[in-house]
Amino acid sequence: AQKVTQAQTEISVVEKEDVTLDCVYETRDTTYYLFWYKQPPSGELVFLIRRNSFDEQNEISGRYSWNFQKSTSSFNFTITASQVVDSAVYFCALSEGAGGTSYGKLTFGQGTILTVHP
Amino acid sequence: ETGVTQSPTHLIKTRGQQVTLRCSSQSGHNTVSWYQQALGQGPQFIFQYYREEENGRGNFPPRFSGLQFPNYSSELNVNALELDDSALYLCASSLAVGGIRLGEQFFGPGTRLTVL
Protein backbone atom coordinates (compact mmCIF):
# COMPACT_ATOMS: atom_id res chain seq x y z
CA ALA A 1 0.00 0.00 0.00
CA GLN A 2 1.07 3.53 -0.67
CA LYS A 3 1.55 6.06 2.07
CA VAL A 4 2.74 9.65 2.19
CA THR A 5 3.72 11.30 5.45
CA GLN A 6 4.16 15.01 5.98
CA ALA A 7 5.23 15.22 9.59
CA GLN A 8 5.09 19.00 9.80
CA THR A 9 1.51 20.06 10.40
CA GLU A 10 2.19 23.78 10.50
CA ILE A 11 5.20 25.98 9.82
CA SER A 12 5.40 29.68 10.49
CA VAL A 13 8.23 31.83 9.14
CA VAL A 14 9.00 35.47 8.59
CA GLU A 15 9.28 36.80 5.08
CA LYS A 16 12.65 36.17 3.37
CA GLU A 17 13.41 33.13 5.51
CA ASP A 18 14.09 29.83 3.78
CA VAL A 19 11.73 27.00 4.63
CA THR A 20 11.83 23.26 3.92
CA LEU A 21 8.75 21.08 3.82
CA ASP A 22 9.37 17.40 4.47
CA CYS A 23 7.77 14.46 2.69
CA VAL A 24 8.39 10.76 3.28
CA TYR A 25 6.69 8.09 1.20
CA GLU A 26 6.15 4.34 1.18
CA THR A 27 5.49 2.21 -1.87
CA ARG A 28 6.23 -1.30 -3.08
CA ASP A 29 6.44 -0.22 -6.71
CA THR A 30 9.77 0.35 -8.34
CA THR A 31 8.19 2.81 -10.75
CA TYR A 32 6.28 5.71 -9.30
CA TYR A 33 5.82 9.45 -9.47
CA LEU A 34 6.03 12.05 -6.73
CA PHE A 35 4.27 15.39 -6.76
CA TRP A 36 3.94 18.61 -4.85
CA TYR A 37 0.74 20.64 -4.93
CA LYS A 38 -0.07 24.01 -3.39
CA GLN A 39 -3.55 24.75 -2.06
CA PRO A 40 -4.24 28.44 -1.42
CA PRO A 41 -7.30 29.53 0.58
CA SER A 42 -9.40 29.42 -2.60
CA GLY A 43 -9.17 25.63 -2.41
CA GLU A 44 -7.88 24.79 -5.86
CA LEU A 45 -4.87 22.46 -5.94
CA VAL A 46 -2.06 23.97 -7.98
CA PHE A 47 0.47 21.59 -9.50
CA LEU A 48 4.09 22.48 -8.67
CA ILE A 49 6.28 19.57 -9.73
CA ARG A 50 6.39 15.91 -10.73
CA ARG A 51 9.40 13.60 -10.40
CA ASN A 52 9.64 9.99 -11.49
CA SER A 53 11.35 7.32 -9.45
CA PHE A 54 14.23 7.00 -11.91
CA ASP A 55 15.25 10.61 -11.77
CA GLU A 56 16.90 11.59 -8.53
CA GLN A 57 18.29 14.81 -9.86
CA ASN A 58 17.40 17.75 -7.69
CA GLU A 59 15.44 20.48 -9.36
CA ILE A 60 15.34 24.21 -8.95
CA SER A 61 12.65 26.49 -10.30
CA GLY A 62 13.06 30.08 -9.25
CA ARG A 63 12.73 30.21 -5.47
CA TYR A 64 11.55 26.59 -5.33
CA SER A 65 13.80 23.56 -5.13
CA TRP A 66 13.19 19.87 -4.58
CA ASN A 67 15.45 17.23 -3.07
CA PHE A 68 14.53 13.65 -4.01
CA GLN A 69 16.40 10.92 -2.12
CA LYS A 70 15.34 7.37 -2.89
CA SER A 71 17.59 5.95 -0.18
CA THR A 72 15.53 7.66 2.50
CA SER A 73 12.23 7.68 0.54
CA SER A 74 12.04 11.42 0.88
CA PHE A 75 11.03 14.21 -1.46
CA ASN A 76 11.55 17.51 0.32
CA PHE A 77 10.56 20.94 -0.93
CA THR A 78 12.44 24.15 -0.12
CA ILE A 79 11.24 27.69 -0.65
CA THR A 80 14.07 30.21 -0.64
CA ALA A 81 13.44 33.78 0.49
CA SER A 82 9.81 33.07 1.35
CA GLN A 83 7.12 35.62 0.55
CA VAL A 84 3.69 36.27 2.04
CA VAL A 85 2.11 34.93 -1.17
CA ASP A 86 3.67 31.54 -0.43
CA SER A 87 1.25 31.12 2.48
CA ALA A 88 -0.86 28.06 1.66
CA VAL A 89 -1.25 24.38 2.40
CA TYR A 90 1.31 22.25 0.59
CA PHE A 91 0.66 18.62 -0.27
CA CYS A 92 3.07 15.91 -1.27
CA ALA A 93 1.53 13.08 -3.33
CA LEU A 94 2.49 9.72 -4.81
CA SER A 95 1.25 7.93 -7.91
CA GLU A 96 2.26 4.38 -8.72
CA GLY A 97 2.72 2.79 -12.12
CA ALA A 98 4.87 3.24 -15.15
CA GLY A 99 4.37 6.64 -16.72
CA GLY A 100 2.11 7.54 -13.82
CA THR A 101 -0.30 4.93 -15.14
CA SER A 102 -2.51 2.30 -13.60
CA TYR A 103 -5.37 4.71 -13.15
CA GLY A 104 -3.26 7.60 -11.96
CA LYS A 105 -4.58 7.55 -8.42
CA LEU A 106 -2.83 10.12 -6.28
CA THR A 107 -2.15 9.35 -2.64
CA PHE A 108 -1.74 12.58 -0.70
CA GLY A 109 -0.06 13.39 2.57
CA GLN A 110 -1.89 15.29 5.29
CA GLY A 111 -0.49 18.59 4.14
CA THR A 112 1.68 21.27 5.74
CA ILE A 113 0.19 24.66 6.49
CA LEU A 114 2.78 27.31 5.70
CA THR A 115 2.27 30.82 7.03
CA VAL A 116 4.69 33.51 5.97
CA HIS A 117 4.51 36.65 8.07
CA PRO A 118 5.51 40.07 6.72
CA GLU B 1 -7.59 26.70 -23.05
CA THR B 2 -10.44 26.18 -20.57
CA GLY B 3 -9.48 24.84 -17.16
CA VAL B 4 -11.36 22.37 -14.98
CA THR B 5 -14.67 23.74 -13.76
CA GLN B 6 -16.97 22.42 -11.06
CA SER B 7 -20.50 23.20 -10.01
CA PRO B 8 -21.97 24.15 -7.70
CA THR B 9 -19.41 26.00 -5.61
CA HIS B 10 -21.19 25.37 -2.35
CA LEU B 11 -24.03 23.09 -1.35
CA ILE B 12 -25.93 22.42 1.84
CA LYS B 13 -27.87 19.19 2.26
CA THR B 14 -29.40 17.24 5.12
CA ARG B 15 -28.70 13.69 6.20
CA GLY B 16 -30.30 11.07 3.99
CA GLN B 17 -30.57 13.30 0.95
CA GLN B 18 -28.87 12.70 -2.38
CA VAL B 19 -26.48 15.08 -4.14
CA THR B 20 -24.99 15.42 -7.63
CA LEU B 21 -21.78 17.31 -8.25
CA ARG B 22 -20.58 18.23 -11.72
CA CYS B 23 -17.20 18.59 -13.36
CA SER B 24 -16.11 19.76 -16.79
CA SER B 25 -12.66 18.57 -17.75
CA GLN B 26 -9.94 20.75 -19.15
CA SER B 27 -9.96 21.08 -22.92
CA GLY B 28 -8.24 18.06 -24.51
CA HIS B 29 -8.50 15.88 -21.40
CA ASN B 30 -10.45 12.62 -21.46
CA THR B 31 -10.05 11.32 -17.91
CA VAL B 32 -11.69 12.60 -14.75
CA SER B 33 -10.80 11.70 -11.17
CA TRP B 34 -12.75 12.64 -8.06
CA TYR B 35 -11.28 13.28 -4.62
CA GLN B 36 -12.83 13.99 -1.22
CA GLN B 37 -10.98 16.38 1.08
CA ALA B 38 -12.22 16.55 4.65
CA LEU B 39 -11.30 19.61 6.68
CA GLY B 40 -7.65 19.58 7.66
CA GLN B 41 -6.90 16.44 5.64
CA GLY B 42 -5.31 15.59 2.33
CA PRO B 43 -7.55 14.66 -0.61
CA GLN B 44 -8.69 11.03 -0.76
CA PHE B 45 -9.19 9.32 -4.11
CA ILE B 46 -12.81 8.32 -4.75
CA PHE B 47 -12.71 7.01 -8.33
CA GLN B 48 -11.67 7.79 -11.86
CA TYR B 49 -13.58 7.72 -15.14
CA TYR B 50 -12.03 6.94 -18.52
CA ARG B 51 -13.99 6.25 -21.68
CA GLU B 52 -17.22 6.66 -19.76
CA GLU B 53 -16.38 3.78 -17.42
CA GLU B 54 -15.12 3.63 -13.86
CA ASN B 55 -11.40 2.95 -14.06
CA GLY B 56 -10.23 2.52 -10.50
CA ARG B 57 -11.86 3.18 -7.15
CA GLY B 58 -10.69 4.13 -3.69
CA ASN B 59 -12.07 3.00 -0.36
CA PHE B 60 -15.53 4.53 -0.68
CA PRO B 61 -18.91 2.78 -0.32
CA PRO B 62 -21.21 2.11 -3.29
CA ARG B 63 -23.43 5.05 -2.41
CA PHE B 64 -20.68 7.10 -4.06
CA SER B 65 -21.20 6.68 -7.79
CA GLY B 66 -20.34 8.55 -10.92
CA LEU B 67 -20.82 9.05 -14.59
CA GLN B 68 -18.76 10.29 -17.46
CA PHE B 69 -20.36 11.70 -20.58
CA PRO B 70 -19.18 11.57 -24.20
CA ASN B 71 -17.84 15.13 -23.88
CA TYR B 72 -15.70 13.83 -20.95
CA SER B 73 -17.55 15.83 -18.31
CA SER B 74 -18.43 13.92 -15.20
CA GLU B 75 -20.85 13.71 -12.30
CA LEU B 76 -20.34 12.48 -8.77
CA ASN B 77 -23.47 11.22 -7.04
CA VAL B 78 -23.73 10.54 -3.34
CA ASN B 79 -26.81 8.83 -1.94
CA ALA B 80 -28.03 8.67 1.65
CA LEU B 81 -25.81 11.51 2.76
CA GLU B 82 -24.09 11.24 6.13
CA LEU B 83 -22.63 13.97 8.29
CA ASP B 84 -19.12 12.69 7.52
CA ASP B 85 -19.68 13.35 3.83
CA SER B 86 -19.19 17.04 4.56
CA ALA B 87 -16.04 17.91 2.65
CA LEU B 88 -14.51 19.66 -0.33
CA TYR B 89 -14.99 17.52 -3.43
CA LEU B 90 -12.29 18.00 -6.01
CA CYS B 91 -12.34 16.95 -9.61
CA ALA B 92 -9.16 16.49 -11.62
CA SER B 93 -8.77 15.93 -15.33
CA SER B 94 -5.94 14.46 -17.33
CA LEU B 95 -5.20 12.93 -20.70
CA ALA B 96 -4.90 9.16 -21.14
CA VAL B 97 -4.09 7.18 -24.27
CA GLY B 98 -4.69 3.45 -24.29
CA GLY B 99 -5.37 3.59 -20.58
CA ILE B 100 -2.02 5.20 -19.89
CA ARG B 101 -2.18 8.58 -18.27
CA LEU B 102 -0.02 11.21 -19.86
CA GLY B 103 0.82 14.49 -18.21
CA GLU B 104 -0.49 15.93 -15.02
CA GLN B 105 -3.82 15.95 -13.29
CA PHE B 106 -5.24 19.46 -13.15
CA PHE B 107 -7.69 20.19 -10.40
CA GLY B 108 -10.84 22.25 -10.35
CA PRO B 109 -11.77 24.70 -7.57
CA GLY B 110 -13.92 22.12 -5.80
CA THR B 111 -17.44 21.93 -4.43
CA ARG B 112 -17.88 22.50 -0.72
CA LEU B 113 -20.59 20.14 0.55
CA THR B 114 -22.07 20.61 4.00
CA VAL B 115 -24.36 17.91 5.39
CA LEU B 116 -26.53 18.96 8.32
Side-chain angles (χ1 to χ4, degrees), chain A residues 62-92:
Chain A
R63 297 186 296 109
Y64 296 168
S65 62
W66 291 269
N67 183 355
F68 175 27
Q69 291 196 344
K70 237 172 155 176
S71 60
T72 56
S73 297
S74 65
F75 185 43
N76 296 337
F77 172 32
T78 297
I79 301 175
T80 303
S82 60
Q83 299 176 1
V84 172
V85 293
D86 294 328
S87 297
V89 184
Y90 289 86
F91 290 97
C92 180

Side-chain angles (χ1 to χ4, degrees), chain A residues 7-99:
Chain A
Q8 304 150 308
T9 305
E10 290 190 56
I11 300 177
S12 182
V13 299
V14 177
E15 214 171 13
K16 296 185 184 176
E17 282 186 30
D18 298 347
V19 58
T20 295
L21 309 181
D22 297 334
C23 172
V24 174
Y25 63 92
E26 295 176 28
T27 178
R28 294 181 181 176
D29 271 18
T30 56
T31 303
Y32 51 89
Y33 280 75
L34 294 164
F35 303 78
W36 276 95
Y37 283 87
K38 173 181 179 180
Q39 188 174 44
S42 61
E44 187 168 341
L45 283 169
V46 178
F47 166 77
L48 295 177
I49 190 172
R50 175 183 70 167
R51 304 295 290 179
N52 72 53
S53 52
F54 298 108
D55 184 359
E56 287 192 70
Q57 227 175 7
N58 292 332
E59 182 158 337
I60 298 174
S61 176
R63 297 186 296 109
Y64 296 168
S65 62
W66 291 269
N67 183 355
F68 175 27
Q69 291 196 344
K70 237 172 155 176
S71 60
T72 56
S73 297
S74 65
F75 185 43
N76 296 337
F77 172 32
T78 297
I79 301 175
T80 303
S82 60
Q83 299 176 1
V84 172
V85 293
D86 294 328
S87 297
V89 184
Y90 289 86
F91 290 97
C92 180
L94 167 69
S95 176
E96 290 177 337

Side-chain angles (χ1 to χ4, degrees), chain A residues 35 37 39 42-45 47 50 91 95 98-111, chain B residues 33 35 37 40-45 48 55-57 88 90 99-101 103-109:
Chain A
F35 303 78
Y37 283 87
Q39 188 174 44
S42 61
E44 187 168 341
L45 283 169
F47 166 77
R50 175 183 70 167
F91 290 97
S95 176
T101 62
S102 59
Y103 41 81
K105 164 192 170 184
L106 288 170
T107 297
F108 286 85
Q110 294 285 83
Chain B
S33 302
Y35 293 81
Q37 186 179 15
Q41 305 292 317
Q44 299 283 319
F45 176 76
Q48 182 187 82
N55 181 41
R57 187 179 184 94
L88 179 68
L90 294 162
I100 298 177
R101 181 173 61 78
E104 310 315 327
Q105 292 190 38
F106 290 91
F107 284 81

Side-chain angles (χ1 to χ4, degrees), chain B:
Chain B
E1 186 177 87
T2 307
V4 179
T5 60
Q6 292 186 243
S7 63
T9 306
H10 296 87
L11 203 52
I12 299 175
K13 291 285 188 178
T14 56
R15 269 189 310 175
Q17 284 190 312
Q18 178 267 342
V19 69
T20 297
L21 309 182
R22 294 177 175 84
C23 171
S24 291
S25 60
Q26 182 166 308
S27 177
H29 286 182
N30 57 7
T31 302
V32 173
S33 302
W34 287 92
Y35 293 81
Q36 180 196 64
Q37 186 179 15
L39 198 61
Q41 305 292 317
Q44 299 283 319
F45 176 76
I46 302 175
F47 45 52
Q48 182 187 82
Y49 276 83
Y50 171 66
R51 289 186 175 178
E52 302 178 46
E53 291 188 359
E54 188 179 289
N55 181 41
R57 187 179 184 94
N59 189 25
F60 281 82
R63 59 189 185 84
F64 285 78
S65 63
L67 284 173
Q68 187 179 33
F69 300 98
N71 66 353
Y72 307 125
S73 65
S74 177
E75 287 182 354
L76 164 65
N77 299 291
V78 187
N79 292 323
L81 283 168
E82 301 177 0
L83 296 179
D84 284 349
D85 295 334
S86 294
L88 179 68
Y89 288 84
L90 294 162
C91 163
S93 75
S94 56
L95 175 64
V97 177
I100 298 177
R101 181 173 61 78
L102 307 173
E104 310 315 327
Q105 292 190 38
F106 290 91
F107 284 81
T111 293
R112 174 76 62 189
L113 173 64
T114 302
V115 182
L116 303 175

